[in-house]
Amino acid sequence: MDWDPEEVRQLTEEIPWIRDLYLYPEVGSTNDVARDLGDMGAPEGVAVLADAQTRGRGRAGRSWWTPPGRAIALSLLVRPRRPVADWPQLGMVAGLAAVEAVQGIGCPAGLKWPNDLMIPPVIGEGPSLTAWRKAGGILVESFPPAFAVIGIGINVNISPEEIPPDLREILGSLSQTLGRRIPRLAVLKGLLRAFASLYLEWNAGARLVERWAAALIMLGRPVRVLTPEGACEGIAEGVDEGGGLRVRLPDGRERRFHAGEVSLRG
Ligand code: BTN
């Protein structure tokens, strides 16, 4: 494990919102560890970081791969004072924080609805947005009214050969795009700082929906939305207050999506 426990501990001093940071060489899922801490009464601001996960989870029941030494697997415990109806917005808070952290190390970044962290395959050649790859994701698990766990995964130093060939155009990592090894601590520090600041704003009542919409890479573009009921194509026009995606269909009607997989079309 190349996380330096002392450097990681130092983050709790630099970022006062982080009350405690538990570092593990390997866990099943950091979200499960954070949930157990929440059940035991741990306070808001407790963070769980693992070098590797053996049963990492993604959205929609998918698995999430966290190989040792090369990614960030982080879960944050929050006890929001905002109404439970607003808690789905925690995904926006975390998505924005992930974008800020990645931009902070000099890599362009945006979000694919709802909260996939997307980066270009290379810097400087102006690759089209359809070529952007997923370098991270957010999994919010809520246990209202007591607490929620916000899981954030970022591929930092994963090389293309490690990614299955059929996923190489879809998944990326910061080191692939920037063409150099990236210090995970710098990304983690930026992520924790950005999250703490955005969360404090949000918990005090701020509206983040416009900032989140501005980070979405597909607004104004043709998209295909895949739902369990089938596929649907149209122009992604905007988002609603709750984060739902508004799509203008070819027949002029508007459809709103609250779940599903979106891909950019051309
Ligand atoms: C997704 O895009 O599907 C969400 C991926 C979320 C992965 C992170 S890694 C840290 C935390 N622990 C997990 O098991 N999942 C989240």
Side-chain angles (χ1 to χ4, degrees), residues 11-20 44-45 193 196 200:
L11 296 175
T12 60
E13 281 164 29
E14 288 177 34
I15 306 164
W17 183 78
I18 303 291
R19 291 278 292 264
D20 224 335
E44 165 163 297
R193 266 192 211 291
L200 287 169

Side-chain angles (χ1 to χ4, degrees), residues 28-32 48 53 55-60 62-64 66 72-75 115-117 134 136-139 141 150-154:
S29 160
T30 53
N31 267 31
D32 291 340
V48 177
Q53 295 186 116
R55 287 188 310 279
R57 285 198 296 280
R59 286 188 304 111
R62 284 186 290 256
S63 60
W64 185 262
T66 310
I72 288 176
L74 174 75
S75 295
N115 272 310
D116 286 353
L117 175 67
K134 175 162 172 166
I138 311 290
L139 178 67
E141 294 178 318
I150 299 164
I152 306 173
I154 302 183

Side-chain angles (χ1 to χ4, degrees), residues 46 70 152:
V46 160
R70 313 201 276 293
I152 306 173

Side-chain angles (χ1 to χ4, degrees), residues 108 119-132 177:
I119 59 173
V122 284
I123 295 280
E125 289 170 26
S128 86
L129 286 169
T130 52
W132 282 36
T177 295

